[in-house]
Amino acid sequence: MIKTGLRAATSLPPDTMDIIRSKTHTRRVRLNVGGLLHEVLWRTLDRLPRTRLGKLRDCNTHDSIMEICDDYSLDNNEYFFDRHPGAFTSILNFYRTGKLHMMEEMCALSFSQELDFWGIDEIYLESCCQARYHQKKEQMNEELKREAENMREREGEEFTTTCCSEKRKKLWDLLEKPSSSFAAKILAIISILFIVLSTIALSLNTLPELQDTDEFGQATDNPQLAHVEAVCIAWFTMEYLLRFLSSPNKWKFFKGPLNIIDLLAILPYYVTIFLTESNKSVLQFQNVRRVVQIFRIMRILRILKLARHSTGLQSLGFTLRRSYNELGLLILFLAMGIMIFSSLVFFAEKDEEDTKFKSIPASFWWATITMTTVGYGDIYPKTLLGKIVGGLCCIAGVLVIALPIPIIVNNFSEFYKEQKRQEKAIKRREALERAKRNGSIVSMNIKDAFGRSVELMDVMVEQGGEQKEKVHDNHVSPNLQKGTPKLKSQTSHSSPTKTLESSYQEQAKPSSSPQHLSAQKLEEMYNKMAKTQSQPNLNSKEKGLQPSAGRQRAEFEMGNIPTEAISSTGEAVTDMRSMSSIDSFISCATDFPESSRFSHSPISNVPGRVSTNPSLEPTLENEHEGSQGTTTPLTGRGTKSSAYYDSPKGVRFNNPRRSLKVNFRDSEDSGTRAFSDSSSVQSPEVSIYTTASSRTPTKSPENLPPSIFTFHDASINKFIDADTDEEEHLHDGSGTNPSQRLLEKASPKFGHHASFQQGSNHTEGIQRKLGNSTLPLEGQENHVAQELQPLQGEESHSNA
Amino acid sequence: MEPLDTGECETGFCAEGEIAVNIGGVRVVLFGDVLNRYPESRLAELVNCSTQNSEVISSLCDDFDPGRKEFYFDRDPDAFKCIIDVYYFDEIHIKRGICPICFIKEMEFWKIDQSVLDECCKSYLSEKEDELKEIANKVKVILEDLEVDQCITRTQRCQRFLWRLMEKPGSSLPARIIAIASFLSILVSAVVMCVGTIPELQVTDSEGKLVEHPTLEAIETACMLWFTAEYLLRLASSPNKLHFALSIMNVIDFMAIMPFYVVLSLTYLGTSSMMELANVQQAVQALRIMRIARIFKLARHSSGLQTLTYALKRSLKELGLLLMYMSVGIFVFSALAYTMEQSHPETLFRSIPQSFWWAIITMTTVGYGDIYPKTTLGKCNAAVSFLCGVIAIALPIHPIINNFVVFYNKQKVLETAAKHEVELMELKSGRDARRKKLKLVHEKRLDMCLENHYQCECR
């Protein structure tokens, strides 16, 4: 590692011949995967020539090698990959033995990502490990799907289209979300009380002592109880109507199972009234009475209304729906047992005089009561044979009923747990929304239909050991992140020949008011993404495009800035980047040019990349600045990049907040001054950089030439430009952002940069972007998505 | 054990019998006398032949570095770390996380016998191996299905076609229709059997006896014909007749059909007065019970029922335990109840065998109420017996349930695993050919590169 760093800093890439020579001279190769050294024969790697390691063998140029691995050193005959070392052990064993086994403790999802990265199809997994792997993966996929569905549902609850949406939303919250406010809670309690009251009235009504007799001599309701009933029904009706009126999607509301129950609880009453009123004098009164009785029975359904207020009941319902297979099995077992034992007991008992087992259907009742061990005792066998059959029937019944129940129970407990977790997640989300309303978080697009599951975020948050506030932050940033790039990719996909300018303008429209980013659009994109992902040939296309694009960019940079490289930044970036992907080839193909460039990358480039990384804190500050007077975007950007640097690798969320605060103060201090004189900006900027770079773990101090700390104007300007284009461009189209205009005035290079960016859009870039942006959708980890986006931003620069 | 690049020990044979090995990048120095404790193992062989010619060495290890005197093996270092334990402790524990099947392969490479595996890990291994075996069985079945018809004769091809039609409902639409039809006929015949016993639906025959309704009988006959045809077709199409006749499902089928024909022949014999009529009727009555067997035919169509039978078969021991607990409890409590109830003048417990019935009904918590204790002591006894009954049933039932759940959950997993295995096999057979081709291309390219370079240098 150290040696490679030196090489990158001081010398040009090694000659093709050196590479070939080193490859032919040694039989073995050392692979350093995430710090763990492996040594393997080249011959072994040859066994799977189409995988990543197999291709390493074929690579004879510096660029192509850098495409495959993250770093290498010919002197040591060592290739570095920034991947999880644990998974690699089993993957390397696949080369050695031809059998792919999976480490037991490995998460199936992360293993599948590793497999994708190394270019190995999961089908090669041996059957002993494959079962577990697929089980886990399916489970996870299901969970993700459910999460997405939930998100989409929430998406539906938007009140933007029709009049007095504000009020309706309030009403909706009041009626549907008991936890949203105190009044809503009270309303829910009242509703529960009404349900209980009405059911009590219903059952009291049947007591003969409380019933009255009508003119026909038949028992009717007690008038007092009838009043209670009427009041309850009035309340239910009102509730239902209000819900219906305030619901954002009428048809969906109508279809909802809980609402159907509500309707069924109300309707019988009205039908009864209608029938009795209209048919009072008509002849078929008897028939009407019977119908009325049936409807009366339907009143019992109102007890199910309690399901709305109890998660337990809901999960019970869901469990029964989910485990209909097992329920069917239970019924089948019981039916077979009943059939067998009732016929047996019939044949045993039928010669007895005065027997109650008159036929097989008649003894069904006995068999049922015995198998369920209820045992009323109205029928019981009397002969010896019959008693033996009866004894067997008891034991068989106990067995047969007990067998499928644990499976159902398992389903139930799983679902119940899940429900509990979701409730918590919803609460968190609501808290977040409150925070948003309070103004602390603006311009966030939370309703991301394809947001990653909240659970995953939670895990990350727990790792960081953050407080609640932080939770929101983490929560939001990926959403924002995903929102814009996806849009971009969509536009570029639909109009590949358009210039970036137009596409940016398109982009600016929705992003200026993030609430407008409708779910439909996102879904559309999602579909497109899925399509592109399913095209495997994209993969190969990508590969073909790689070298040219990479070279282009390299040239551009070389011309601009002298090679003052920090290998450490390159590494820091690459390690984020290589975190994961679903379609590994798309991702790695797009990634490699970057890494190759980054080993000699000029410093100015790094911020450019960094700028697009939107941890929440920076954006927050951005907004602040905008409201303050728009003079400090520079430092705002600076903080942003520092946030990026502060959080390398998995510990992203550890300390950005702290450092940010410092930076923010800096920026306020140097606010206007910074803008008017770019050289004066240097000081805070540089300080940020020093802190940032010193925190980067992969950095080795001797690699850092002093020149890094002395920023010159050009690089800072560059840095500003790079920063602005990702987000400020959005505002560019709308032209409302004063800071943007100011910035443009102050730094002419911005304009240059922008134009340079706009002009140079070609299809390759779009395609690559597409490839990239598919990843967050399917990607398993949030921070992956975050990491990938910066690359994408980068991409657009480099296409120039 | 130290990582490779520390490189402190430069000599492979620093001391007598000491050898340095490099396993997949991890360097280990081993002592010859320790290794010789297992002389047939690969490392011991290496020590013994290390002074000899290089050919033997290269056959034993993948690479030899004469400068560092280091033997290189292209194997998994993690597994080796476990395997090396055998030289020091005489036993091996599989590291948690390594797949046991994979680990066994490593042990084979190092030529170490499986018997040194410790007991705790052996059970783990055998579990996995059982699973693999089951998968292999399923794979065999799938492969048999996939097998292309290489039957030469036309009859064989016909047989195969029939076999698929009858036994594999998923193979084609007609096969599915046949499966559904047979399922429905089972249901219909079961219903007919039950309905036929209702006295209101029966008719009196010439002798004043109640017999089944003629229409019901007609339906019954039709169903029986269908069952017979099905059974015969299956039998005809099966490749192995004896195996077919002895398998459980087909025995059930046979039991379902047989009574019908026996009754037919008996009545024929009865009418032709070769046997006494009363005897015939008794035999017919007895055979009627056999009709119940047709319900078990449902098992062919329900995987849940198959799982149940499988689970019961596997947990015979627990079932025996259940019965034993129950019988002990029945004996004890019926005897107790009998003696305690003796004092009551109108006791319902007349004898111990009679009170067995009471004990069963109480212990299984059914409680018909036809026999019940009347004295205080007897009531106490009943309460205790009920408690004991609950425990006696609940304890052995748990493993049975566990077996059932495990099988139930495993079934699907095994199914997918088997399918995957087949795919894998196809893939591997296809890959070998491709790999050869690719290797050729690669070598050619490398040669060309080198040639170019030399030409450049020459210039």
Side-chain angles (χ1 to χ4, degrees):
Chain A
M1 285 291 301
I2 292 168
K3 276 182 186 167
T4 52
L6 276 173
R7 174 187 57 69
T10 53
S11 69
L12 286 164
D15 191 23
T16 314
M17 268 351 284
D18 297 337
I19 294 167
I20 294 176
R21 197 177 293 142
S22 93
K23 276 187 179 176
T24 45
H25 281 189
T26 53
R27 290 184 66 202
R28 286 180 252 165
V29 58
R30 285 201 218 174
L31 302 171
N32 184 346
V33 178
L36 218 71
L37 265 178
H38 299 268
E39 203 165 4
V40 67
L41 292 174
W42 277 117
R43 157 160 63 89
T44 311
L45 297 185
D46 255 357
R47 289 187 192 145
L48 296 161
R50 308 228 280 185
T51 58
R52 187 177 278 256
L53 285 177
K55 273 184 205 144
L56 189 64
R57 173 77 151 135
D58 287 346
C59 291
N60 298 326
T61 60
H62 170 76
D63 285 340
S64 57
I65 287 181
M66 283 315 270
E67 230 174 85
I68 281 174
C69 66
D70 292 314
D71 206 346
Y72 70 97
S73 149
L74 285 183
D75 306 336
N76 281 356
N77 189 25
E78 184 173 314
Y79 296 83
F80 176 70
F81 296 88
D82 216 342
R83 301 297 294 187
H84 185 254
F88 184 70
T89 318
S90 33
I91 285 164
L92 197 60
N93 277 341
F94 178 44
Y95 287 90
R96 286 170 176 154
T97 60
K99 302 242 188 288
L100 184 57
H101 291 274
M102 174 182 160
M103 283 295 222
E104 204 113 303
E105 70 261 32
M106 197 94 199
C107 170
L109 278 182
S110 90
F111 191 69
S112 101
Q113 284 160 18
E114 291 296 319
L115 283 185
D116 284 334
F117 176 82
W118 296 108
I120 294 168
D121 198 345
E122 60 185 25
I123 207 168
Y124 288 109
L125 254 183
E126 285 300 306
S127 9
C128 52
C129 303
Q130 183 262 357
R132 200 161 43 88
Y133 173 79
H134 274 269
Q135 222 175 342
K136 260 273 185 59
K137 217 177 164 197
E138 248 161 53
Q139 221 172 17
M140 205 59 220
N141 276 344
E142 214 168 82
E143 208 155 283
L144 283 180
K145 218 185 284 163
R146 199 156 54 212
E147 191 64 28
E149 222 151 73
N150 278 351
M151 293 279 206
R152 215 169 299 141
E153 251 169 46
R154 214 156 293 124
E155 197 75 33
E157 289 180 15
E158 287 310 323
F159 301 79
T160 44
T161 46
T162 45
C163 58
C164 48
S165 57
E166 220 20 44
K167 275 178 203 157
R168 275 176 48 200
K169 180 158 175 50
K170 254 185 203 152
L171 196 61
W172 181 251
D173 282 350
L174 199 67
L175 289 167
E176 287 280 322
K177 293 167 188 156
S179 56
S180 65
S181 70
F182 187 64
K185 205 170 275 176
I186 285 178
L187 218 64
I189 289 171
I190 290 173
S191 169
I192 290 174
L193 285 181
F194 266 110
I195 294 168
V196 172
L197 185 71
S198 72
T199 43
I200 288 173
L202 188 75
S203 37
L204 279 183
N205 238 337
T206 56
L207 278 181
E209 294 87 42
L210 294 177
Q211 278 178 338
D212 283 354
T213 46
D214 59 2
E215 63 259 40
F216 301 103
Q218 245 144 353
T220 55
D221 299 350
N222 189 314
Q224 269 103 39
L225 288 176
H227 285 313
V228 171
E229 172 83 12
V231 170
C232 287
I233 286 291
W235 170 267
F236 293 153
T237 317
M238 193 189 73
E239 210 183 354
Y240 184 79
L241 286 181
L242 282 180
R243 279 216 173 98
F244 186 70
L245 284 180
S246 66
S247 77
N249 186 341
K250 299 281 188 284
W251 176 237
K252 215 165 119 199
F253 176 84
F254 196 70
K255 270 195 313 186
L258 285 177
N259 300 313
I260 289 176
I261 287 174
D262 279 4
L263 197 64
L264 284 179
I266 306 166
L267 269 188
Y269 185 78
Y270 292 106
V271 173
T272 321
I273 286 180
F274 172 75
L275 283 176
T276 44
E277 292 305 315
S278 61
N279 292 310
K280 265 240 157 93
S281 53
V282 185
L283 282 174
Q284 350 104 314
F285 186 66
Q286 264 317 339
N287 284 345
V288 170
R289 242 199 124 66
R290 201 162 288 157
V291 173
V292 166
Q293 282 301 330
I294 290 168
F295 276 108
R296 202 181 258 273
I297 292 164
M298 277 178 71
R299 286 191 198 171
I300 299 160
L301 284 173
R302 69 184 57 163
I303 196 87
L304 293 179
K305 270 169 76 79
L306 279 179
R308 189 187 287 281
H309 304 285
S310 148
T311 345
L313 268 178
Q314 277 173 30
S315 16
L316 180 67
F318 191 84
T319 309
L320 293 186
R321 223 178 331 158
R322 264 251 300 244
S323 45
Y324 65 92
N325 241 332
E326 287 80 26
L327 279 179
L329 208 63
L330 176 65
I331 288 168
L332 179 75
F333 285 174
L334 261 187
M336 274 189 61
I338 287 167
M339 196 83 131
I340 290 164
F341 283 110
S342 63
S343 38
L344 280 179
V345 87
F346 169 72
F347 285 117
E349 290 273 323
K350 76 180 169 147
D351 294 331
E352 195 81 349
E353 18 179 301
D354 182 30
T355 180
K356 282 180 176 158
F357 297 93
K358 286 199 181 94
S359 64
I360 292 180
S363 41
F364 279 173
W365 171 244
W366 169 84
T368 316
I369 294 303
T370 306
M371 282 194 88
T372 53
T373 73
V374 172
Y376 288 127
D378 50 346
I379 314 179
Y380 48 89
K382 282 172 187 151
T383 60
L384 178 65
L385 218 62
K387 281 181 178 175
I388 291 170
V389 170
L392 285 178
C393 182
C394 298
I395 295 171
V398 171
L399 255 182
V400 148
I401 290 178
L403 285 181
I405 293 264
I407 302 170
I408 301 174
V409 167
N410 204 24
N411 271 350
F412 176 77
S413 67
E414 234 168 60
F415 181 74
Y416 192 72
K417 241 186 276 165
E418 171 75 13
Q419 192 96 343
K420 274 270 142 80
R421 209 170 44 185
Q422 267 178 11
E423 252 170 34
K424 259 182 221 159
I426 285 171
K427 247 177 222 160
R428 210 175 300 129
R429 210 167 285 137
E430 265 158 15
L432 163 69
E433 261 173 58
R434 250 199 311 280
K436 190 180 79 174
R437 246 175 273 139
N438 290 346
S440 50
I441 310 163
V442 201
S443 94
M444 290 296 142
N445 182 18
I446 304 156
K447 15 168 210 148
D448 186 331
F450 318 104
R452 217 58 47 64
S453 63
V454 185
E455 286 78 35
L456 284 169
M457 295 175 199
D458 293 350
V459 172
M460 280 158 62
V461 171
E462 274 157 26
Q463 270 174 1
E466 296 295 291
Q467 304 136 342
K468 223 184 172 190
E469 254 183 301
K470 215 93 210 180
V471 176
H472 308 156
D473 297 345
N474 297 334
H475 195 84
V476 171
S477 46
N479 285 342
L480 172 91
Q481 185 52 18
K482 267 174 274 152
T484 29
K486 254 187 257 159
L487 241 183
K488 208 200 310 185
S489 63
Q490 186 218 14
T491 47
S492 51
H493 180 85
S494 55
S495 60
T497 46
K498 260 189 202 168
T499 60
L500 246 187
E501 187 170 21
S502 58
S503 67
Y504 262 105
Q505 265 162 4
E506 268 184 44
Q507 195 182 335
K509 252 182 270 162
S511 56
S512 59
S513 60
Q515 257 78 8
H516 274 292
L517 255 185
S518 68
Q520 274 175 325
K521 217 164 190 179
L522 286 178
E523 196 165 346
E524 210 176 282
M525 261 176 283
Y526 177 81
N527 292 337
K528 261 175 202 162
M529 255 36 118
K531 246 182 266 160
T532 46
Q533 215 177 15
S534 62
Q535 289 170 357
N537 56 352
L538 194 79
N539 192 348
S540 54
K541 228 184 277 169
E542 222 88 271
K543 266 180 267 153
L545 293 169
Q546 273 330 294
S548 68
R551 219 176 303 127
Q552 223 171 1
R553 191 187 313 141
E555 278 166 16
F556 156 64
E557 274 146 17
M558 297 305 249
N560 259 341
I561 299 108
T563 53
E564 0 157 288
I566 332 166
S567 64
S568 65
T569 50
E571 272 148 22
V573 170
T574 46
D575 98 77
M576 310 274 206
R577 164 178 48 80
S578 57
M579 280 313 282
S580 126
S581 56
I582 280 296
D583 204 341
S584 71
F585 267 114
I586 293 181
S587 80
C588 67
T590 47
D591 292 352
F592 279 120
E594 253 112 59
S595 73
S596 67
R597 186 181 46 119
F598 256 80
S599 50
H600 338 244
S601 70
I603 184 79
S604 67
N605 233 3
V606 179
R609 163 179 291 238
V610 161
S611 69
T612 53
N613 173 36
S615 335
L616 177 88
E617 288 85 47
T619 27
L620 209 154
E621 290 197 17
N622 263 342
E623 299 305 323
H624 244 280
E625 283 158 347
S627 63
Q628 265 184 8
T630 71
T631 42
T632 55
L634 281 180
T635 35
R637 298 295 113 63
T639 53
K640 213 186 262 184
S641 60
S642 81
Y644 179 72
Y645 277 110
D646 277 350
S647 50
K649 283 190 177 165
V651 288
R652 295 187 52 72
F653 302 114
N654 265 355
N655 47 14
R657 164 75 57 165
R658 188 173 15 118
S659 67
L660 268 170
K661 276 194 179 132
V662 176
N663 294 335
F664 186 50
R665 233 178 291 126
D666 274 358
S667 69
E668 280 203 291
D669 290 346
S670 61
T672 39
R673 180 173 46 102
F675 210 70
S676 54
D677 182 8
S678 57
S679 65
S680 67
V681 182
Q682 278 175 3
S683 53
E685 221 66 296
V686 168
S687 73
I688 291 157
Y689 263 87
T690 41
T691 55
S693 47
S694 63
R695 271 185 207 154
T696 316
T698 43
K699 195 208 84 200
S700 44
E702 70 268 20
N703 283 350
L704 258 183
S707 61
I708 289 162
F709 295 101
T710 59
F711 277 95
H712 45 77
D713 283 11
S715 71
I716 285 180
N717 266 338
K718 199 83 206 147
F719 159 53
I720 298 159
D721 293 350
D723 263 341
T724 41
D725 52 39
E726 189 63 24
E727 272 168 53
E728 303 293 308
H729 249 313
L730 312 182
H731 302 293
D732 196 17
S734 54
T736 49
N737 195 344
S739 75
Q740 172 62 39
R741 258 176 279 146
L742 250 174
L743 188 79
E744 243 173 309
K745 232 184 285 164
S747 64
K749 271 194 181 172
F750 175 80
H752 155 244
H753 191 104
S755 66
F756 131 70
Q757 197 183 27
Q758 288 156 3
S760 61
N761 178 27
H762 44 83
T763 40
E764 293 164 19
I766 286 158
Q767 244 166 5
R768 204 157 325 132
K769 247 185 271 170
L770 251 177
N772 252 350
S773 49
T774 53
L775 301 169
L777 285 179
E778 287 246 5
Q780 315 297 332
E781 286 146 68
N782 273 305
H783 54 290
V784 177
Q786 278 178 330
E787 258 62 73
L788 282 164
Q789 299 324 316
L791 298 182
Q792 195 179 322
E794 181 65 29
E795 206 76 58
S796 55
H797 302 209
S798 58
N799 283 338
Chain B
M1 249 175 253
E2 61 259 2
L4 185 72
D5 44 0
T6 51
E8 26 127 332
C9 187
E10 283 299 317
T11 50
F13 304 97
C14 4
E16 189 52 44
E18 207 166 273
I19 118 174
V21 290
N22 178 357
I23 288 103
V26 175
R27 186 186 155 92
V28 187
V29 177
L30 297 163
F31 296 95
D33 45 348
V34 176
L35 295 181
N36 271 324
R37 293 174 67 181
Y38 288 87
E40 73 281 6
S41 70
R42 189 177 279 260
L43 282 175
E45 275 177 46
L46 192 67
V47 170
N48 295 334
C49 75
S50 55
T51 47
Q52 291 160 21
N53 54 344
S54 58
E55 260 175 51
V56 185
I57 291 177
S58 63
S59 74
L60 282 172
C61 69
D62 290 315
D63 201 3
F64 178 60
D65 188 349
R68 305 179 69 185
K69 296 260 176 73
E70 188 183 81
F71 300 98
Y72 174 76
F73 294 93
D74 203 359
R75 303 303 292 188
D76 183 13
D78 283 352
F80 181 74
K81 276 177 202 161
C82 297
I83 286 167
I84 201 72
D85 279 350
V86 79
Y87 296 108
Y88 301 113
F89 309 116
D90 287 326
E91 58 184 39
I92 293 182
H93 291 268
I94 298 177
K95 195 171 134 201
R96 280 283 148 180
I98 296 179
C99 176
I101 306 296
C102 171
F103 192 80
I104 288 302
K105 287 270 147 53
E106 290 292 319
M107 279 176 73
E108 274 168 20
F109 176 81
W110 296 107
K111 293 186 186 162
I112 285 169
D113 197 51
Q114 268 195 38
S115 57
V116 294
L117 255 187
D118 201 58
E119 278 308 318
C120 60
C121 301
K122 250 183 203 160
S123 63
Y124 182 40
L125 173 71
S126 62
E127 219 171 88
K128 274 274 173 195
E129 274 176 345
D130 282 348
E131 200 170 289
L132 273 186
K133 230 175 268 165
E134 275 174 59
I135 293 174
N137 279 344
K138 294 224 159 161
V139 167
K140 217 191 280 167
V141 171
I142 293 178
L143 279 185
E144 269 170 23
D145 287 354
L146 286 179
E147 223 170 76
V148 201
D149 300 324
Q150 318 116 327
C151 323
I152 319 110
T153 59
R154 202 164 152 225
T155 49
Q156 261 176 324
R157 210 176 301 142
C158 271
Q159 198 181 10
R160 181 143 290 233
F161 173 74
L162 253 176
W163 176 252
R164 263 192 215 165
L165 198 67
M166 303 308 292
E167 291 278 340
K168 310 273 181 255
S171 65
S172 66
L173 187 67
R176 183 162 296 171
I177 288 170
I178 285 177
I180 290 171
S182 98
F183 179 75
L184 285 180
S185 68
I186 292 169
L187 281 188
V188 165
S189 75
V191 167
V192 163
M193 183 186 81
C194 295
V195 168
T197 58
I198 297 175
E200 289 86 46
L201 291 177
Q202 285 174 341
V203 290
T204 49
D205 63 358
S206 51
E207 290 158 43
K209 282 204 166 179
L210 285 172
V211 291
E212 275 183 24
H213 202 273
T215 45
L216 290 181
E217 222 163 324
I219 295 173
E220 167 83 13
T221 317
C223 284
M224 272 305 153
L225 284 179
W226 168 262
F227 289 155
T228 319
E230 210 185 337
Y231 184 77
L232 287 180
L233 277 178
R234 282 217 171 99
L235 186 66
S237 68
S238 80
N240 187 344
K241 301 281 190 284
L242 190 71
H243 189 258
F244 174 86
L246 286 182
S247 77
I248 296 175
M249 288 323 297
N250 297 310
V251 168
I252 289 174
D253 278 4
F254 184 71
M255 299 274 277
I257 307 165
M258 194 262 302
F260 180 75
Y261 291 101
V262 174
V263 167
L264 263 189
S265 53
L266 277 183
T267 44
Y268 173 72
L269 286 177
T271 47
S272 60
S273 69
M274 280 168 81
M275 279 171 80
E276 219 172 296
L277 204 65
N279 281 349
V280 167
Q281 253 156 9
Q282 251 171 5
V284 167
Q285 281 304 326
L287 282 172
R288 258 165 186 270
I289 306 177
M290 297 275 285
R291 286 194 192 178
I292 303 162
R294 69 186 61 168
I295 293 167
F296 289 111
K297 272 169 72 77
L298 278 180
R300 194 189 283 280
H301 302 282
S302 154
S303 64
L305 272 177
Q306 278 163 15
T307 318
L308 177 70
T309 50
Y310 193 59
L312 290 183
K313 226 193 293 173
R314 281 293 288 257
S315 40
L316 272 182
K317 220 167 153 192
E318 286 83 10
L319 278 177
L321 207 63
L322 176 68
L323 285 181
M324 202 194 66
Y325 285 177
M326 286 299 291
S327 56
V328 168
I330 288 165
F331 264 108
V332 170
F333 289 110
S334 62
L336 277 179
Y338 173 72
T339 44
M340 282 164 184
E341 288 287 312
Q342 267 323 73
S343 57
H344 202 274
E346 289 167 28
T347 179
L348 295 164
F349 296 80
R350 300 224 174 76
S351 67
I352 290 183
Q354 251 187 345
S355 37
F356 281 171
W357 169 243
W358 167 84
I360 294 173
I361 293 304
T362 309
M363 285 185 79
T364 53
T365 72
V366 171
Y368 288 128
D370 50 345
I371 309 178
Y372 50 89
K374 283 171 179 164
T375 61
T376 325
L377 264 180
K379 279 175 185 166
C380 291
N381 175 54
V384 172
S385 78
F386 147 75
L387 276 178
C388 288
V390 169
I391 292 168
I393 290 175
L395 290 185
I397 264 190
H398 189 257
I400 302 175
I401 291 175
N402 210 26
N403 267 345
F404 177 78
V405 172
V406 166
F407 285 129
Y408 187 82
N409 288 336
K410 221 165 145 189
Q411 206 129 34
K412 264 181 234 157
V413 174
L414 285 185
E415 202 83 12
T416 51
K419 252 178 224 154
H420 166 261
E421 184 71 33
V422 172
E423 276 174 40
L424 190 62
M425 280 158 98
E426 273 173 27
L427 214 84
K428 279 199 172 142
S429 59
R431 202 185 57 193
D432 285 334
R434 207 167 52 226
R435 197 200 296 151
K436 263 177 218 153
K437 218 193 290 172
L438 270 170
K439 203 170 180 183
L440 272 176
V441 169
H442 169 241
E443 271 163 11
K444 224 179 262 171
R445 204 186 307 157
L446 230 141
D447 289 347
M448 266 163 62
C449 268
L450 280 175
E451 249 170 56
N452 281 343
H453 184 65
Y454 287 133
Q455 281 169 4
C456 288
E457 272 187 352
C458 286
R459 267 177 227 156

